[in-house]
Amino acid sequence: MLFRTATLGCKVNQYETQYIRTALLANGFCEAAEDENELVDWVVINTCSVTGESDAKSRKLISYWGKKCPQAKIIVLGCYATANPQKVASFPKVAYVVDDKRKIIDFLKQWGLAIIPSGIETFSERHRAYVKIQDGCRVGCAYCIIPKIRHYLLSRTVPDIILETQKLIQNGYREIVLTGIHLGHYGLDFNARNDPDSFGLSNQSHKNSSTDQKNNGGNNQNIDQQEFQPESDKMKNGEQSESVWTLDDYLVAQEKLATNQRIDLAFLISHLMDHLSNVSEPFRLRLGSLEAVEVSDRLLDVLTQYQQKICHHLHLSMQSGDDSVLHKMRRRWLSGPFIEKCRQIQERFPLISLTTDIIVGFPGETESQFLRTCEVAEAIGFSKIHVFRFSPRTGTIAAQMEKQIPESVKKERAAHLLKISDRLRRNYAQSLLGKTTQLLVEEIRPVSDSLKSNFRPRTLDSTNSDAFNSLNRSVLNCSDQSEKCSKKQIVGTTDEYLPMNIVLPISASVQNGDLLSVMIQQFQGDNLIGILN
C-alpha cells in the first residue's frame, strides 16, 4: 500500500508525522513517489490551528490532497482537527479524524497496524532530527488558542528519550533538537504524582527500561503516563468535573519537592548528556523555544557542564517589552526580570545567541509602548527577532479586546522592528569573527561555471549585484566573475543558529549532515563566511 504525508505547523507536528510515517513503513507501506498520486491508498495530514490563517491553510491542504489522490483515504490529525473534528470529517475523502494526539496509537491499531514503534529512528529529508519530549501547555496567554486545544500535560520518560536520541545519532543525525508544545513544562506531570516509577528511573537502568514501553507519537501509554489530575478533578458522582489543574497547581506541587527530586528539563538534559557521553559519533544538542522564567540556575549549570555538546543558542519568547502590554497578554514575567535573566545567561555564555518572538500591534498597544519594546530588544542584543503582526484568533481573550490596531500601523511597526533586528544581527555576527564554531552541512552545491549563477548565499539578495559579486570574490578567492573554480559551496547552520557558507575543493570529502569545525571570517548579507579549521 502507498501513502503520502503532509504537515503544517510546529516541530511537534513534524515529529508526530514522522512517527506515523515510521509506523506505516514498519508495517509494509511504501511512501509514494510524486508520479504515483493516483495510486495512493492513505494520505496523512497533520494540521495547525495557531492562527486563523493556519486554519485556512489546513482546510486548503485537506481539499488539495483529496483532489490530488482521488483513490486515497484521508486521515487528518493535528490542532485544527482537534478543534474542529466535525468540520474536518465533513470534507470529501476524509476517512478518519484523530481528534486527540493521545489517540495516535489507537488509530494505528484500529486501522490494522500490528507493529507499533516505540519512537523514531530517522527523520525524513532532514539533516537535524526533532525529539518530542512533552505535550501540552497550561500558560493561557491571551492571544493563544493552543492551551485550549492541547491543555493536558504529558511528558515522555527519560529512558524513552535517551533511547530515541541514541538511535538517531547512530543513524547519522548530527543535530538533535528537543521540542515540545511547551518545553519548560517537561516533568510537571511527573512531579505532581511524585512517583519515581512514572518517569522510568526506579529499579532499572536507563539503557534497558524503555524496551517494553510503547510511544504514542511521543506520548507513553503506560497507565502511569495518563494525564495527572488532582482528586477534585476525578469522577464525582459518576461525572467528570469540568475543572482542571492550573499551571500554578502544578508549580506548587513541584515546589513541595526538594530540588534534587524534581523531574524537569535540567534533570532530563543532565541524564541525557551523561548517557550520550559514550556515543562515538559526533553530535550536538539544541533546545527548542523556552520561556525566560523557565531558565533556572539548575538548567544553566547543566548547560555549562555540557557546553561542548549543547548549541550556544537559546530562543526565549519575549512577545513585548512593555509591562502594561505583557500584563494584558497574560505573560508570566515582566520586562525587568526578563532582561535580568538574559543578562545572567550572557554572563555565563558571553557569545551565546539569544533569539526571540515579538508581537507588534497587540490590542491597545500605543506608540510609546511599542518603542519600549524596541528599547528592550536593543538592550538585550538579540541575534534574531521573529516579528509577528498581531492577528485576532477566534476563541482567545485577545480577539475580543477593544482598541484593535489598524493593519497599516502593524506593518509600520513590524518594518521598524525588523530593521532593528537586522542591525542587532550584524552586531552579534561581528562579535563572532575569528571564533571557531560548528557548521551542520545542509546543502552542497558545485561551483564550476559562472559564479553568479552557481554561488547562492542562503539569504543574501542576489539582485544586489555589488554585494553579491563582492561576496562571491571574497569567499571563492576568484579574481572575476567569469573565472571558473573547481570548488564547491557548503551551506549550513552554525551552533549559534546563523546561516554560514564555506567553500571547499571539489574533491573534499563532505556530506550533507556532517558537522564541521569552522573559523568565522566574515559576515556579509545575512551570512557568516568561514574556512575549515
Side-chain angles (χ1 to χ4, degrees):
M1 296 181 74
L2 296 178
F3 76 93
R4 296 292 298 268
T5 62
T7 307
L8 293 174
C10 64
K11 294 180 178 67
V12 170
N13 271 14
Q14 294 171 47
Y15 174 92
E16 290 166 343
T17 297
Q18 180 60 33
Y19 176 78
I20 293 175
R21 179 177 176 272
T22 299
L24 295 176
L25 292 172
N27 284 272
F29 281 69
C30 295
E31 198 154 14
E34 289 295 330
D35 60 353
E36 295 179 315
N37 285 328
E38 293 191 359
L39 304 175
V40 170
D41 299 287
W42 284 20
V43 177
V44 179
I45 301 173
N46 204 339
T47 62
C48 178
S49 192
V50 70
T51 65
E53 184 180 358
S54 300
D55 284 357
K57 287 181 178 179
S58 296
R59 292 190 293 269
K60 185 175 180 180
L61 197 64
I62 296 168
S63 297
Y64 172 82
W65 284 107
K67 297 174 183 176
K68 193 79 170 177
C69 302
Q71 304 302 318
K73 296 177 179 178
I74 307 294
I75 294 94
V76 186
L77 65 157
C79 288
Y80 181 69
T82 299
N84 305 276
Q86 294 181 343
K87 173 68 175 178
V88 171
S90 70
F91 277 78
K93 306 294 178 64
V94 170
Y96 194 90
V97 179
V98 183
D99 60 2
D100 188 327
K101 290 291 187 72
R102 293 170 291 181
K103 299 179 181 177
I104 289 177
I105 282 183
D106 292 339
F107 150 68
L108 294 175
K109 289 179 177 178
Q110 182 176 336
W111 281 61
L113 273 66
I115 303 172
I116 306 298
S118 61
I120 66 171
E121 298 183 8
T122 61
F123 216 94
S124 178
E125 299 181 357
R126 289 183 177 272
H127 305 300
R128 59 170 58 86
Y130 303 146
V131 172
K132 176 184 171 183
I133 68 169
Q134 71 82 227
D135 207 335
C137 178
R138 285 286 175 86
V139 173
C141 297
Y143 49 81
C144 186
I145 195 68
I146 300 306
K148 293 187 177 181
I149 299 173
R150 298 177 85 144
H151 61 86
Y152 50 84
L153 296 187
L154 200 58
S155 302
R156 294 182 69 187
T157 67
V158 174
D160 271 355
I161 296 167
I162 290 172
L163 182 62
E164 184 170 87
T165 303
Q166 286 175 330
K167 288 180 178 179
L168 288 166
I169 294 172
Q170 290 166 2
N171 288 334
Y173 293 88
R174 299 293 170 248
E175 180 174 311
I176 305 298
V177 184
L178 299 185
T179 189
I181 295 298
H182 193 113
L183 204 66
H185 282 358
Y186 179 79
L188 286 179
D189 48 324
F190 292 153
N191 295 327
R193 283 193 296 271
N194 192 18
D195 177 5
D197 288 331
S198 66
F199 48 85
L201 296 180
S202 63
N203 301 319
Q204 55 184 330
S205 70
H206 286 216
K207 183 176 181 180
N208 299 318
S209 63
S210 63
T211 55
D212 295 327
Q213 295 184 14
K214 299 304 178 186
N215 180 326
N216 179 7
N219 294 331
N220 298 306
Q221 290 300 290
N222 297 332
I223 190 158
D224 282 335
Q225 285 297 107
Q226 299 305 310
E227 180 191 4
F228 175 78
Q229 292 179 317
E231 289 299 322
S232 60
D233 292 334
K234 295 181 180 178
M235 301 296 288
K236 291 183 179 179
N237 300 320
E239 296 183 359
Q240 176 73 35
S241 169
E242 294 181 1
S243 65
V244 294
W245 266 33
T246 66
L247 177 58
D248 286 341
D249 292 328
Y250 281 102
L251 294 176
V252 167
Q254 178 173 270
E255 287 297 322
K256 293 179 180 178
L257 299 175
T259 302
N260 61 1
Q261 293 179 317
R262 297 175 188 171
I263 309 305
D264 56 14
L265 189 58
F267 178 95
L268 168 64
I269 295 172
S270 179
H271 282 267
L272 177 61
M273 296 306 295
D274 182 55
H275 280 73
L276 295 180
S277 63
N278 296 321
V279 172
S280 59
E281 296 88 350
F283 74 93
R284 69 189 188 192
L285 187 73
R286 190 180 299 278
L287 304 187
S289 178
L290 286 168
E291 297 285 348
V293 68
E294 295 156 356
V295 182
S296 63
D297 290 345
R298 186 185 186 194
L299 179 57
L300 287 176
D301 289 342
V302 172
L303 298 182
T304 301
Q305 181 179 355
Y306 297 103
Q307 61 183 300
Q308 298 303 315
K309 288 291 188 180
I310 299 178
C311 292
H312 295 178
H313 166 236
L314 289 176
H315 185 84
L316 305 177
S317 185
M318 186 173 81
Q319 304 302 359
S320 176
D322 181 81
D323 289 350
S324 296
V325 175
L326 289 167
H327 181 73
K328 289 182 66 177
M329 288 180 169
R330 298 195 173 187
R331 298 288 291 164
R332 294 167 64 195
W333 258 16
L334 299 181
S335 60
F338 188 97
I339 294 172
E340 290 176 12
K341 178 58 67 174
C342 290
R343 290 281 182 263
Q344 182 187 10
I345 295 169
Q346 290 165 334
E347 287 174 4
R348 288 276 195 117
F349 310 100
L351 293 178
I352 194 169
S353 170
L354 296 181
T355 56
T356 197
D357 302 318
I358 293 178
I359 297 173
V360 299
F362 191 78
E365 181 187 59
T366 65
E367 186 68 15
S368 62
Q369 290 171 335
F370 167 68
L371 293 177
R372 169 60 180 162
T373 294
C374 296
E375 291 171 0
V376 172
E378 298 216 44
I380 293 169
F382 294 113
S383 62
K384 185 175 180 64
I385 302 172
H386 299 271
V387 180
F388 299 92
R389 299 197 301 270
F390 173 77
S391 174
R393 180 64 179 88
T394 302
T396 64
I397 296 171
Q400 305 300 319
M401 288 181 176
E402 298 179 350
K403 299 182 179 179
Q404 297 285 331
I405 305 299
E407 198 62 32
S408 59
V409 175
K410 295 178 191 177
K411 289 181 179 179
E412 290 176 3
R413 291 177 182 175
H416 182 79
L417 190 54
L418 283 171
K419 288 181 180 179
I420 292 174
S421 177
D422 290 343
R423 175 161 47 79
L424 294 177
R425 192 170 181 79
R426 287 194 299 272
N427 293 343
Y428 175 73
Q430 292 294 330
S431 73
L432 298 177
L433 299 185
K435 308 297 182 182
T436 296
T437 189
Q438 279 190 323
L439 175 69
L440 177 69
V441 178
E442 296 174 276
E443 189 174 357
I444 301 174
R445 306 166 182 159
V447 181
S448 58
D449 300 320
S450 163
L451 298 183
K452 186 170 184 179
S453 63
N454 282 277
F455 185 74
R456 285 291 183 263
R458 185 166 168 185
T459 54
L460 183 67
D461 182 4
S462 61
T463 60
N464 186 338
S465 58
D466 291 340
F468 192 84
N469 293 330
S470 173
L471 182 56
N472 284 339
R473 288 192 294 271
S474 64
V475 174
L476 298 175
N477 196 26
C478 297
S479 58
D480 60 64
Q481 183 175 309
S482 62
E483 181 180 346
K484 294 186 177 181
C485 302
S486 57
K487 299 180 180 179
K488 55 188 175 184
Q489 177 197 1
I490 310 299
V491 180
T493 306
T494 70
D495 262 10
E496 299 81 11
Y497 211 58
L498 291 173
M500 172 177 266
N501 293 271
I502 67 171
V503 172
L504 297 176
I506 200 74
S507 59
S509 179
V510 178
Q511 298 180 0
N512 282 326
D514 284 353
L515 273 182
L516 305 179
S517 178
V518 178
M519 178 178 289
I520 301 168
Q521 286 190 312
Q522 301 178 50
F523 180 72
Q524 295 198 29
D526 193 38
N527 294 260
L528 291 173
I529 310 300
I531 59 172
L532 198 62
N533 262 352

